[in-house]
Amino acid sequence: MRTNFLVLLAFMVIGMVCYHILRVDLLKNAKELGTSLAKTYAAEERNNLTVYETLITFGTEAIDWRLQENADQEEMQSWISMYFQRLQDVLGERGVDPYAVLNGEILAANPWEGMEHYDAENAVWYQGAMMAGGAVIFTNVYTDTVYGTPVITVAQKCRNSDAVLAFDIFLEDFQFRSSMLDLPENASFYLCDTEGNLVYFQTAASYEQERLESYVEDLQKQIWSGELEAYDTHVVDLTGELRSVYYSNMPNGWLSIITIPYDTILADLQQAKAVFVLVYLFSLLSVGFLTWREVRLGIRMERTNETVTVLGNSYYALYRVDVLRDTYEIIKGSEEAEQSLPVHGRYQDLIRMAGEVMEEAAYQEYMEGFSLANVQKLVEQGVREFGGDFRRRFGTEYRWVNMCILFDKTLEEGEAVLSFREVDQEKRRQLEERKLLENALESSRKSEKTKQAFFSNMSHDMRTPLNAIIGLTDVAKKRVREPERVQDYLEKITDSGRQLLGLINDILDMSRLEQGKVVLNDRQFDLQVCIESCAAPFRVQAEEEGKHFVTGFEIRSAMVLGDPFRISQIMNNLLSNAFKFTQKGDTVAVEVKQLSFQEQIKYQIVVRDTGLGMSKEFLPKIFEPYARETRFSAGQVMGTGLGMPIVKNLVTQMSGQIQVESQLGKGTTFTVELPFQSAEQEEHPCGGTLDSPISLEGKHILLAEDNAVNMEIATELLTMNGMKVTQAWDGQEAVECFATSLPYTIDAILMDMQMPKLDGCTAARQIRALSRSDAATVPIIAVTANAFAEDVAATTAAGMDAHISKPIDFAALCCTLGRLIGKVGKD
């Protein structure tokens, strides 16, 4: 009996221990399973969200393409309807409710009452899409204002416009659309957004929606507070049942949560407990039960050993050390340790041996960090892990290894595991990534510093002429009875306006050049006449400032094929630069030479001055954007720091070269060499050939302009020159005015590009499409603030005959009107 009692007592002790071990194992395994399952559900849901991302990206790209093709509102609405039908084919009925925001207006597949008053730009999904800059965003759950039901909105901003496409997904239609793994018995699944709103759930039992949402909200609070990190933590569900909670975060911030009942997890444990009870009741089976348990534990231990072996294979050396007794035990030794150390020995001998193969630069740090005294100190402080990466010698080469000493409560007091693992590839990749990040950061800092300097200069330089314009305008209002003074003020206002326009043009030109969007508009012109025209304003400036300005030409063939506007731009920048940095009595000279005479002629243009010159430090930066010489200056110099970069880019695009020489106090010389095709016939300045100028007296002009000030200025200039003007305040009114006029009573149309109701291009197309004899021939001139090549191409495609840039050069406008009206007269 005593023996049986001892056996039963032994079994009772073993049973309690095994119960605890099994419970811990089951809970840990359940945590791994539950966490893995939560990640699987999160990944599966991410795949489902990818379907929406793919469909909406297709839609935004299609909208971008149609906007670039100038599709009107009706065309966009038709496409949206077709696109919605295709979405239904893919996602089924009520899959999504799509709509788009174009130019502040909503185009919806399912229009709703009051849609025209809906402020889309202040909606969360719209602002999120705008901030994302083209990336797809998912909103949190919110109540839809139209249907009053919970929805999630998927939105994306078009890359090349401010248009936004959005899908509303109703929660009752939100579900997993691909096959999912089955949940464990009586388990529950919850999907929440970033604010904790319940997006989707799958439970074995039914609950009231409000109670369920409150329960899930409490789950999230405990998750974020870390209360559910341990493997054996649990919560009480709505029915009072104990549950373990497992979760995983999705890339978009949503949270995947799975809860499993304790009874389900510990089902095997309950069975084992019943077996133990039977063993206690039936002592005769105690030996058999013990044997069975030993076999079962043996199998588990074998699997555990296999797992430990797999983990150990990732380390090339493992040692068990006792830092209190200064001893070690080799579990898995390195090649050097197995050759020179016994299985058991002094810890300091082990560290000394390992240090012999360490890189010399890291040796001292290694010996101090892993010294017996330092490790004992770490034990006293309760540090659980200590280590670092070092380079050690393997044969004749050095590779990175990670050395780590691990302390754990499961080990005896003072004991630890010392591990060595090779991490050479990982470490090299980290170092390369760090170097790239450092280089990118340094580049970003330099760029930011340069741009900050540019914006500071630009702000000052733009405020200067603006201040003059505003100030002189106020003064002129008070001197209206003094015409001479008012005339002087107006001339200065004009100069300041042109100065401001020049600054803006420099900034826009540099932006276009950096994006590679500048297109050369080649035509035949007289190079000498072009350069002399550029020099003419500077002759007046030279007289006013007491400077000497000379020009010289050695040209045999002046008629060339090229872009005279860009040549003028180059000369104006070079001459402006020369006059800025010269003082009274200095000389500015322009010399033009023809270097060869073939089908393609090369010309050399030299702009030389005797001014301040540039420092050696700044000279290499002369063609860098935003760079300005600040070390030496005769005073505050106006400019953006973009003139020379623009010149450099233009010369390069024209297949030319530019060089600069400069010395402080002796002046600067710019030398430009450009090739041109030879041209024989000369064009009229307005384009084409005119035998004689056309009088505009009595001509009837239809003026389409939505800005009141611009309308007043243009009307006044036209009427002052004897023309009759009919005003149209938007594109639709312009079409109606022309359609209701008698044929051939309107001689030309000036069409602003950006107007309400109909833009200029759409209005021009509708006029050309009218069934009247003069609709196809009436001259239509585009008036636009965007005079870039693609803008001009758009006006041509819309059927317009020419374009004039804002601010309007009235002489050029009259020249263009005369040419086009005269052409119609001849036809």
Side-chain angles (χ1 to χ4, degrees):
M1 183 180 294
R2 182 177 180 182
T3 301
N4 291 337
F5 176 77
L6 292 175
V7 171
L8 289 175
L9 181 62
F11 272 108
M12 182 177 66
V13 174
I14 293 173
M16 293 176 63
V17 173
C18 290
Y19 179 87
H20 176 72
I21 293 175
L22 184 58
R23 183 178 185 277
V24 170
D25 286 345
L26 288 174
L27 290 175
K28 287 184 176 179
N29 291 340
K31 183 173 180 64
E32 293 178 1
L33 173 64
T35 302
S36 176
L37 202 57
K39 291 181 179 178
T40 301
Y41 272 58
E44 190 67 24
E45 182 53 20
R46 177 57 189 163
N47 292 337
N48 291 325
L49 296 182
T50 302
V51 173
Y52 294 115
E53 292 180 357
T54 302
L55 293 174
I56 199 169
T57 299
F58 170 79
T60 55
E61 290 178 352
I63 290 175
D64 255 340
W65 179 82
R66 281 167 173 78
L67 290 177
Q68 290 175 2
E69 293 295 319
N70 296 315
D72 57 23
Q73 201 84 347
E74 183 178 351
E75 292 174 339
M76 294 304 298
Q77 178 69 63
S78 174
W79 180 85
I80 285 288
S81 299
M82 178 188 68
Y83 179 58
F84 176 53
Q85 182 60 47
R86 292 182 179 176
L87 289 176
Q88 287 184 325
D89 294 339
V90 175
L91 301 176
E93 291 292 331
R94 285 181 57 82
V96 296
D97 184 16
Y99 46 91
V101 180
L102 302 176
N103 299 323
E105 296 184 9
I106 298 179
L107 298 181
N110 299 310
W112 65 87
E113 183 177 356
M115 181 178 69
E116 62 275 11
H117 302 299
Y118 180 71
D119 188 6
E121 293 183 354
N122 285 325
V124 174
W125 53 266
Y126 183 90
Q127 295 180 356
M130 297 300 289
M131 292 178 63
V136 178
I137 63 102
F138 288 81
T139 68
N140 291 319
V141 177
Y142 67 95
T143 301
D144 182 68
T145 57
V146 177
Y147 301 103
T149 59
V151 297
I152 294 171
T153 299
V154 188
Q156 184 180 26
K157 174 186 173 295
C158 294
R159 293 185 182 277
N160 300 317
S161 69
D162 286 336
V164 174
L165 181 62
F167 298 164
D168 280 349
I169 307 171
F170 297 94
L171 291 192
E172 61 263 26
D173 300 321
F174 189 86
Q175 57 184 334
F176 292 104
R177 304 186 183 280
S178 57
S179 61
M180 295 290 292
L181 299 175
D182 292 333
L183 287 169
E185 183 179 359
N186 296 323
S188 299
F189 169 68
Y190 307 99
L191 182 65
C192 306
D193 62 22
T194 59
E195 293 182 355
N197 300 311
L198 191 58
V199 178
Y200 174 82
F201 66 92
Q202 179 179 335
T203 61
S206 299
Y207 305 103
E208 294 181 5
Q209 186 70 20
E210 291 184 0
R211 293 186 63 202
L212 184 62
E213 290 177 353
S214 177
Y215 167 67
V216 174
E217 183 179 352
D218 290 337
L219 284 182
Q220 292 180 83
K221 289 180 180 179
Q222 294 180 68
I223 288 172
W224 299 135
S225 66
E227 296 176 23
L228 303 179
E229 287 291 330
Y231 69 90
D232 57 351
T233 55
H234 59 270
V235 298
V236 179
D237 68 5
L238 296 175
T239 63
E241 187 176 26
L242 297 180
R243 286 179 175 264
S244 291
V245 181
Y246 314 106
Y247 58 92
S248 176
N249 287 308
M250 294 176 60
N252 64 350
W254 290 9
L255 187 64
S256 168
I257 305 174
I258 290 179
T259 66
I260 303 176
Y262 250 48
D263 290 344
T264 301
I265 298 172
L266 300 178
D268 291 341
L269 184 60
Q270 298 301 328
Q271 295 176 2
K273 184 178 180 180
V275 172
F276 288 133
V277 172
L278 290 175
V279 170
Y280 294 139
L281 295 177
F282 303 95
S283 58
L284 293 177
L285 298 177
S286 59
V287 175
F289 177 74
L290 181 61
T291 303
W292 174 76
R293 284 295 297 165
E294 287 178 352
V295 171
R296 187 174 179 183
L297 289 174
I299 294 173
R300 181 173 289 277
M301 287 300 297
E302 183 179 354
R303 292 181 61 82
T304 301
N305 289 335
E306 291 175 354
T307 303
V308 171
T309 301
V310 171
L311 293 173
N313 288 338
S314 63
Y315 296 87
Y316 70 82
L318 291 168
Y319 305 92
R320 186 143 177 180
V321 299
D322 189 328
V323 296
L324 299 180
R325 297 177 177 83
D326 185 21
T327 62
Y328 73 85
E329 177 186 355
I330 296 179
I331 306 300
K332 180 180 181 181
S334 66
E335 183 178 349
E336 296 84 357
E338 291 178 347
Q339 292 176 357
S340 60
L341 292 177
V343 176
H344 299 273
R346 296 176 67 244
Y347 171 77
Q348 296 187 60
D349 294 337
L350 172 65
I351 294 302
R352 188 178 301 107
M353 181 279 302
E356 292 175 356
V357 293
M358 285 291 173
E359 184 180 25
E360 184 177 352
Y363 177 78
Q364 187 63 33
E365 179 185 356
Y366 158 76
M367 292 300 293
E368 292 176 358
F370 289 91
S371 66
L372 184 62
N374 189 58
V375 174
Q376 289 175 344
K377 182 178 180 181
L378 294 174
V379 173
E380 294 174 359
Q381 294 174 349
V383 176
R384 299 187 60 184
E385 181 177 344
F386 175 77
D389 297 336
F390 302 90
R391 292 181 68 211
R392 65 151 286 179
R393 187 175 67 252
F394 288 89
T396 59
E397 66 173 342
Y398 280 89
R399 297 198 294 268
W400 285 97
V401 299
N402 175 264
M403 181 178 180
C404 187
I405 188 165
L406 303 169
F407 305 93
D408 194 88
K409 294 180 179 180
T410 59
L411 300 174
E412 294 183 10
E413 184 180 1
E415 285 196 345
V417 174
L418 182 62
S419 64
F420 293 83
R421 181 168 61 94
E422 185 177 339
V423 292
D424 192 67
Q425 292 184 354
E426 179 183 351
K427 188 67 176 181
R428 291 180 185 274
R429 184 172 62 253
Q430 290 176 354
L431 292 175
E432 289 175 0
E433 291 175 353
R434 180 176 180 179
K435 184 64 176 177
L436 289 174
L437 289 173
E438 289 175 350
N439 292 339
L441 180 61
E442 181 63 24
S443 177
S444 175
R445 286 173 177 170
K446 289 181 179 179
S447 176
E448 184 66 22
K449 183 177 180 181
T450 301
K451 289 187 177 181
Q452 285 179 356
F454 159 69
F455 284 118
S456 177
N457 293 333
M458 182 185 68
S459 175
H460 174 271
D461 292 348
M462 294 184 75
R463 287 175 183 273
T464 300
L466 277 173
N467 183 64
I469 292 171
I470 296 172
L472 290 171
T473 301
D474 290 339
V475 173
K477 290 178 182 178
K478 300 175 182 179
R479 303 281 187 173
V480 292
R481 299 184 182 278
E482 302 177 43
E484 292 183 359
R485 286 196 176 186
V486 172
Q487 179 66 26
D488 179 59
Y489 297 152
L490 292 176
E491 290 175 357
K492 291 177 179 178
I493 290 172
T494 302
D495 291 341
S496 296
R498 289 173 178 167
Q499 186 181 47
L500 181 60
L501 179 62
L503 291 170
I504 295 172
N505 286 337
D506 277 354
I507 297 168
L508 294 177
D509 277 340
M510 193 62 208
S511 174
R512 307 294 288 191
L513 286 165
E514 288 178 344
Q515 298 175 29
K517 294 185 178 180
V518 171
V519 178
L520 298 177
N521 184 20
D522 290 343
R523 63 183 180 85
Q524 60 183 10
F525 70 102
D526 189 313
L527 179 61
Q528 182 169 342
V529 171
C530 178
I531 293 177
E532 286 180 338
S533 298
C534 294
F538 291 98
R539 295 187 187 278
V540 177
Q541 183 177 347
E543 292 179 4
E544 293 177 349
E545 297 177 357
K547 301 175 183 178
H548 303 289
F549 181 42
V550 295
T551 58
F553 296 87
E554 295 181 18
I555 297 178
R556 287 169 287 168
S557 177
M559 293 303 300
V560 296
L561 186 65
D563 190 334
F565 173 75
R566 298 302 177 186
I567 297 297
S568 299
Q569 199 172 4
I570 291 171
M571 292 304 301
N572 284 332
N573 274 297
L574 292 176
L575 287 172
S576 296
N577 196 64
F579 273 85
K580 284 178 185 177
F581 295 99
T582 51
Q583 300 177 354
K584 184 176 181 180
D586 284 335
T587 299
V588 178
V590 177
E591 300 172 2
V592 184
K593 294 181 180 180
Q594 183 174 332
L595 301 180
S596 62
F597 186 79
Q598 299 173 351
E599 183 179 354
Q600 190 175 61
I601 311 172
K602 183 173 288 188
Y603 294 85
Q604 183 186 78
I605 303 172
V606 178
V607 178
R608 180 183 295 109
D609 68 73
T610 61
L612 297 175
M614 288 176 280
S615 62
K616 293 181 180 180
E617 293 81 4
F618 178 72
L619 200 57
K621 303 178 182 179
I622 182 66
F623 296 120
E624 293 181 5
Y626 319 124
R628 298 174 70 175
E629 171 69 283
T630 57
R631 181 175 176 183
F632 298 96
S633 176
Q636 185 64 37
V637 178
M638 183 72 65
T640 60
L642 296 177
M644 291 305 103
I646 290 173
V647 170
K648 172 68 173 178
N649 274 281
L650 290 175
V651 170
T652 301
Q653 288 202 32
M654 298 170 75
S655 301
Q657 296 180 337
I658 183 170
Q659 297 178 343
V660 58
E661 298 176 359
S662 183
Q663 291 185 19
L664 283 174
K666 295 185 178 181
T668 302
T669 300
F670 285 93
T671 303
V672 178
E673 292 186 2
L674 294 172
F676 291 104
Q677 291 285 343
S678 176
E680 296 180 356
Q681 295 183 348
E682 186 175 349
E683 285 190 335
H684 188 274
C686 293
T689 304
L690 282 177
D691 298 329
S692 60
I694 300 298
S695 172
L696 299 176
E697 185 79 24
K699 299 298 181 182
H700 186 185
I701 308 299
L702 174 58
L703 176 60
E705 171 63 65
D706 65 319
N707 183 277
V709 175
N710 290 343
M711 175 72 84
E712 181 180 359
I713 293 172
T715 301
E716 185 68 20
L717 290 174
L718 292 171
T719 54
M720 285 172 60
N721 285 269
M723 287 172 268
K724 178 183 176 183
V725 177
T726 296
Q727 297 179 339
W729 293 92
D730 55 59
Q732 184 64 48
E733 187 177 345
V735 175
E736 294 173 355
C737 286
F738 183 81
T740 56
S741 66
L742 295 176
Y744 298 102
T745 57
I746 293 180
D747 296 296
I749 301 173
L750 296 183
M751 186 75 74
D752 184 35
M753 287 297 94
Q754 298 182 356
M755 294 183 293
K757 295 186 179 180
L758 289 180
D759 59 66
C761 288
T762 304
R765 289 192 186 94
Q766 293 192 11
I767 289 175
R768 292 298 188 209
L770 292 174
S771 58
R772 49 185 284 169
S773 56
D774 60 343
T777 59
V778 61
I780 304 178
I781 301 173
V783 181
T784 174
N786 300 323
F788 300 116
E790 59 268 32
D791 303 309
V792 176
T795 63
T796 303
M800 301 193 196
D801 302 283
H803 76 281
I804 293 292
S805 300
K806 291 182 179 180
I808 298 175
D809 184 336
F810 192 70
L813 174 61
C814 290
C815 188
T816 303
L817 282 171
R819 173 170 61 84
L820 295 176
I821 293 174
K823 180 179 178 181
V824 173
K826 289 182 180 181
D827 293 342

